[in-house]
Amino acid sequence: MSSTDGSVAATTGGEAGAETGRDAIVRAARRAFTLRPYAEVTMRGIAAAAGVSPSLIVKRFGSKEALFNTVADFGTAADELFSAPPSTLGRHLVLTMVGMRDRGRGDPLLRVVFSLGIEDERTLLRARFREQVTDRLAAALTGSDARLRAELIAGQLLGLGATLSLHRPDGAGSHATAERLADLYAPGLQRLIDGA
């Protein structure tokens, strides 16, 4: 087996391969759980899409339910998104969203909108999103309408992700730099953050 084979590297347990394998599994699982109901998603299908063996998924995550719970977690994305002070948060949100999309080859939040799962799955995704993204943001904002502004900010972030996805790969947004996107999009977010 060649060490240049990405699927082999992902399954051999080496340091770089281990992380690559985990990332590939999570990306494939996000796509699978977003595009198909939970009952139709199989570990074999996720493994094939990720280029790893089903046994590696079981070793890393234990079960399909545990993998779904990992995919349904927005906490890590929220940690990165909200790691700037309120005075610069608007620009930081745009730059971070674009950077996360580029690194993860997908939107870190958009799966909450496009999930086709049964009602229980959609409800879980929405509840986690509300708790880990919207509620967390509302708690960081000041003013009597902090909750409303947090919901509007979350909506704008989802809109940014949807727009960039919709017009990929040849849309103007695909060719714009993250800095230019932030120049255009961040002022509206910042007004909501400031409550102006």
Side-chain angles (χ1 to χ4, degrees):
M1 291 187 174
S2 168
S3 63
T4 59
D5 180 338
S7 62
V8 172
T11 60
T12 59
E15 230 16 72
E19 194 53 39
T20 302
R22 185 186 191 289
D23 292 347
I25 292 165
V26 170
R27 277 194 305 273
R30 281 182 179 153
R31 281 191 303 273
F33 288 123
T34 297
L35 298 174
R36 292 189 302 278
Y38 180 88
E40 294 178 13
V41 175
T42 66
M43 299 285 259
R44 284 190 191 285
I46 292 170
V52 301
S53 69
S55 62
L56 180 65
I57 297 178
V58 172
K59 179 180 177 185
R60 295 274 168 84
F61 296 95
S63 66
K64 184 169 98 169
E65 181 180 5
L67 182 55
F68 177 79
N69 284 328
T70 298
V71 168
D73 183 16
F74 298 96
T76 302
D79 287 346
E80 196 169 338
L81 284 167
F82 304 139
S83 65
S87 61
T88 60
L89 186 57
R91 186 170 192 83
H92 175 80
L93 288 170
V94 176
L95 294 174
T96 303
M97 281 285 292
V98 172
M100 291 169 84
R101 287 177 58 84
D102 291 347
R103 286 193 317 270
R105 288 183 252 149
D107 191 280
L109 303 178
L110 207 51
R111 64 190 179 274
V112 74
V113 176
F114 294 116
S115 175
L116 299 177
I118 60 172
E119 188 59 33
D120 287 347
E121 296 149 25
R122 287 194 307 265
T123 300
L124 173 63
L125 275 173
R126 289 176 184 158
R128 291 247 178 103
F129 184 88
R130 190 177 313 112
E131 173 191 325
Q132 295 174 339
V133 177
T134 311
D135 291 351
R136 180 172 172 181
L137 181 56
L141 299 177
T142 58
S144 59
D145 58 354
R147 175 73 189 181
L148 173 60
R149 288 185 288 127
E151 289 177 4
L152 293 172
I153 292 164
Q156 285 198 13
L157 290 174
L158 292 171
L160 176 61
T163 299
L164 293 175
S165 294
L166 181 66
H167 298 288
R168 184 177 53 196
D170 57 354
S174 298
H175 302 294
T177 66
E179 292 292 332
R180 182 62 180 145
L181 290 170
D183 288 344
L184 294 170
Y185 208 81
L189 289 172
Q190 193 62 50
R191 278 193 294 277
L192 287 169
I193 292 163
D194 296 339

